[in-house]
Amino acid sequence: MFEQLGLIGCGLMGGSFALALKRAGLVKRVVGYSKSPSTTERARQLGVIDVEAPSALLAVSGADIVLIAVPVSATEATLKAIKPMVTPQMLIMDVGSTKSDVLDAARRALREQIGSFVPAHPIAGKERAGVEYADADLYTGCPLILTPTERTLTTQLQQAQDIWTALGCKVMQMSPEAHDAAFAAVSHLPHLLAFALMNSVQNQAQGEQFLALAGPGFRDFTRIAASDTKVWRDILMANRTELLAQSQLFQAELKAFEDLMRAGNPQALEIMIEQASVARAQWQMTQLPKPC
Amino acid sequence: MFEQLGLIGCGLMGGSFALALKRAGLVKRVVGYSKSPSTTERARQLGVIDVEAPSALLAVSGADIVLIAVPVSATEATLKAIKPMVTPQMLIMDVGSTKSDVLDAARRALREQIGSFVPAHPIAGKERAGVEYADADLYTGCPLILTPTERTLTTQLQQAQDIWTALGCKVMQMSPEAHDAAFAAVSHLPHLLAFALMNSVQNQAQGEQFLALAGPGFRDFTRIAASDTKVWRDILMANRTELLAQSQLFQAELKAFEDLMRAGNPQALEIMIEQASVARAQWQMTQLPKPC
């Protein structure tokens, strides 16, 4: 049980955490701060936070648990701003989609206090952003990944594990590097490919006619291309090392398909399509008990 | 009104056409043939066809309308087999997803009778194949593309236009080349990319762990990777010229994204993501009144 949550970033992710924590009876008070004062005010009106703070630093003052729910590129500045109020007993977490860059930022910003910071990535979200969509059930049933380092304090790590478990998450631990490689492969690269496909089609002279003929396969394949621009700019930049590595592996695979098409080898092509088709069909059967 | 439909290939596509044509009162009799005798028999038991033919040639005997609904790689052999029964008054159509290769096959197989052949591509389908899933409503509300050439007879072209319109399709005409370029861009390339991504992920040492972390974005992006292996082997091979050209355009676009990530230019990256995101959001609003 915590006394006070200091919430920096009262949007969909942060607001949902506050609501879930309160509903679970795990916190008494939520003090919130958002860069936009109207967001902070709206969060209070909606009952997502109890008290509006005029700065990140003041939101953290007196808190025993802190959640940073800002775009990943703002993590370092946020942590620097709250550093004077960070105590050795405090649990600080984030919800960013990339972890190596967040840890680098945290090391620079928090220095000797880095042990209080437990990097977290809940695999959850909605098509719509904003505190209006905050939902106490957003995280229920979803995977959550913690990426502690050798400097992370045992007490804080255990608290983080307990909190997310209490909110209904399936909690996993990975190294930041393994996390970033995995999400480069199964999330960031698909987004990059969907962005590139949309632009490749629309930048052709006949692009508009082509798009008018697109069907349900195209609809599903490109759905993620409509994602939030700034969030994905930050993710592609923050995780570019792993993402570029995954893109190289992907392009080598694509070239293998193309080589078989050029060589006129339908037998070998069929084997490669079969491998993809079987893997996808199997994955569908074992994953995602509920959409997160 | 036609007397007799000769149906070659009594699967989902062919069977649905027969059911729709009968329900619309456009044909009196359906004589069907499938390579597998058990399929032909099942089609008759289900009332999809009225009479089983022991060969493609005999299915066409006495027909005034013929539908070829076989994998595109079997088109030439099928047309060669029925050539002796083709008459100048007959309307012959296919339902293949690629058109230049089908027309090449038709020219070689039908020669002086090529004018009777009207290449057709209904943008419709189901996740499941087979005559058991044949559905008189499969084509209702779906786009249908005809790709006539200068040798296509006017009477047959008009009949084709009228039939598909009567079945509820939005009928369009394009050149075979324009058709294949469009579908390379919005259908065949997304399939190729989804196949390549699945294999790229699963062929890595940690592929299984990565896949266990994949979420709803990955699910939708890779859905088409589970498509039928032989159908897509044929499509990738048949349309490889246009597909390889589209893949080159795509890879140039992907490289432009990567160059900005490497150069550390988030501003320019944001503009490119924005272009993709806006285009996808707009497309979603104007297309697909019903799923086809």
Side-chain angles (χ1 to χ4, degrees):
Chain A
M1 177 69 168
F2 293 89
E3 286 295 317
Q4 184 175 315
L5 168 65
L7 180 64
I8 323 281
C10 307
L12 172 69
M13 302 295 280
S16 296
F17 181 78
L19 289 175
L21 213 60
K22 283 209 270 192
R23 192 180 60 180
L26 291 172
V27 72
K28 291 186 184 154
R29 237 176 359 266
V30 178
V31 180
Y33 166 76
S34 270
K35 201 174 153 191
S36 148
S38 66
T39 301
T40 319
E41 192 186 344
R42 188 96 186 93
R44 190 186 45 77
Q45 287 165 347
L46 290 167
V48 169
I49 63 172
D50 303 306
V51 180
E52 295 174 52
S55 69
L57 183 65
L58 287 171
V60 169
S61 172
D64 46 359
I65 173 171
V66 170
L67 191 78
I68 313 287
V70 300
V72 284
S73 64
T75 306
E76 184 166 356
T78 305
L79 290 173
K80 273 189 178 148
I82 66 166
K83 171 80 161 54
M85 288 289 187
V86 171
T87 66
Q89 290 72 41
M90 198 176 268
L91 166 63
I92 308 171
M93 297 188 290
D94 77 321
V95 292
S97 298
T98 54
K99 294 272 77 90
S100 295
D101 69 306
V102 162
L103 259 160
D104 287 344
R107 280 188 203 98
R108 286 191 298 266
L110 296 178
R111 294 201 251 179
E112 77 287 356
Q113 305 274 28
I114 184 72
S116 298
F117 181 64
V118 183
H121 177 201
I123 317 302
K126 281 188 185 177
E127 302 284 318
R128 311 291 294 271
V131 68
E132 290 77 10
Y133 300 97
D135 177 356
D137 274 320
L138 181 68
Y139 302 112
T140 315
C142 291
L144 178 124
I145 298 161
L146 300 176
T147 62
T149 67
E150 67 291 347
R151 298 191 57 188
T152 310
L153 294 169
T154 318
T155 309
Q156 272 84 338
L157 179 56
Q158 187 62 51
Q159 286 177 324
Q161 175 92 32
D162 293 346
I163 289 166
W164 290 104
T165 303
L167 300 190
C169 293
K170 187 191 165 201
V171 181
M172 287 172 275
Q173 285 191 25
M174 300 173 75
S175 73
E177 296 74 25
H179 169 279
D180 287 357
F183 286 89
V186 300
S187 171
H188 309 167
L189 181 57
H191 278 78
L192 175 61
L193 301 179
F195 297 144
L197 181 76
M198 278 309 301
N199 288 358
S200 171
V201 175
Q202 70 174 319
N203 287 341
Q204 296 180 48
Q206 297 170 285
E208 211 169 312
Q209 291 125 279
F210 290 179
L211 287 171
L213 294 167
F218 181 87
R219 177 195 59 204
D220 291 353
F221 184 87
T222 60
R223 181 180 64 76
I224 52 178
S227 296
D228 184 82
T229 302
K230 286 182 169 50
V231 165
W232 280 93
R233 173 203 64 191
D234 281 3
I235 292 173
L236 297 194
M237 288 305 297
N239 200 24
R240 60 184 160 168
T241 306
E242 290 294 346
L243 179 49
L244 290 166
Q246 286 296 330
S247 185
Q248 288 313 304
L249 291 174
F250 164 79
Q251 288 173 59
E253 198 71 39
L254 179 58
K255 185 173 180 303
F257 275 93
E258 292 184 339
D259 287 347
L260 293 176
M261 288 159 60
R262 282 197 195 93
N265 190 339
Q267 295 78 18
L269 192 63
E270 182 178 341
I271 290 168
M272 286 179 64
I273 297 173
E274 178 84 15
Q275 195 206 350
S277 181
V278 167
R280 179 54 180 79
Q282 285 178 346
W283 178 83
Q284 196 169 27
M285 282 163 24
T286 55
Q287 302 300 317
L288 291 171
K290 92 160 186 53
C292 286
Chain B
M1 177 67 171
F2 293 89
E3 286 295 316
Q4 185 174 314
L5 168 66
L7 180 64
I8 323 282
C10 307
L12 171 69
M13 302 296 280
S16 296
F17 181 78
L19 289 175
L21 214 61
K22 283 209 270 191
R23 192 180 62 179
L26 290 172
V27 72
K28 293 187 183 155
R29 240 179 353 271
V30 178
V31 181
Y33 167 76
S34 270
K35 200 175 155 192
S36 148
S38 65
T39 300
T40 319
E41 194 186 342
R42 189 94 186 95
R44 189 186 47 75
Q45 288 166 344
L46 291 167
V48 169
I49 65 172
D50 303 307
V51 180
E52 295 174 52
S55 69
L57 184 65
L58 287 171
V60 169
S61 172
D64 45 1
I65 174 172
V66 170
L67 191 78
I68 313 286
V70 300
V72 285
S73 64
T75 306
E76 184 166 354
T78 305
L79 290 172
K80 274 189 177 148
I82 66 166
K83 171 80 162 53
M85 288 290 186
V86 172
T87 67
Q89 290 72 42
M90 197 177 271
L91 166 62
I92 308 171
M93 297 186 292
D94 76 321
V95 291
S97 298
T98 55
K99 294 273 74 92
S100 296
D101 69 305
V102 161
L103 259 160
D104 287 343
R107 282 189 200 97
R108 286 191 299 266
L110 296 178
R111 294 200 252 181
E112 76 287 355
Q113 306 273 28
I114 185 72
S116 300
F117 180 65
V118 184
H121 177 201
I123 317 301
K126 282 188 186 178
E127 301 285 318
R128 310 291 295 268
V131 68
E132 289 77 10
Y133 300 97
D135 176 357
D137 274 318
L138 182 67
Y139 301 114
T140 314
C142 291
L144 179 124
I145 298 160
L146 300 176
T147 61
T149 68
E150 67 292 345
R151 297 191 58 188
T152 309
L153 295 168
T154 318
T155 310
Q156 272 85 339
L157 179 56
Q158 188 61 52
Q159 287 178 322
Q161 175 92 33
D162 294 346
I163 288 167
W164 289 105
T165 303
L167 299 190
C169 293
K170 185 188 166 202
V171 182
M172 287 172 275
Q173 285 190 26
M174 301 173 75
S175 72
E177 296 75 23
H179 170 280
D180 287 356
F183 285 89
V186 299
S187 171
H188 308 167
L189 180 58
H191 278 78
L192 175 60
L193 300 180
F195 296 145
L197 181 76
M198 279 308 302
N199 288 357
S200 171
V201 176
Q202 69 174 316
N203 287 341
Q204 296 178 49
Q206 297 170 283
E208 209 168 314
Q209 290 124 278
F210 290 0
L211 288 171
L213 294 168
F218 181 87
R219 176 195 60 203
D220 291 354
F221 184 88
T222 60
R223 181 180 64 78
I224 52 178
S227 295
D228 185 82
T229 302
K230 285 182 169 51
V231 165
W232 280 93
R233 173 201 64 193
D234 281 3
I235 292 173
L236 297 195
M237 288 305 297
N239 200 25
R240 59 183 160 168
T241 307
E242 291 293 347
L243 178 51
L244 289 167
Q246 286 296 330
S247 184
Q248 289 312 305
L249 291 174
F250 164 79
Q251 286 173 61
E253 198 72 39
L254 179 59
K255 184 174 180 305
F257 275 93
E258 292 184 338
D259 286 348
L260 294 175
M261 288 160 58
R262 280 196 197 93
N265 190 340
Q267 294 78 18
L269 191 64
E270 183 177 342
I271 291 168
M272 287 179 63
I273 297 173
E274 179 84 15
Q275 195 206 351
S277 181
V278 168
R280 179 55 180 79
Q282 285 178 346
W283 178 84
Q284 196 169 27
M285 282 160 29
T286 58
Q287 305 297 320
L288 290 171
K290 91 159 187 55
C292 288

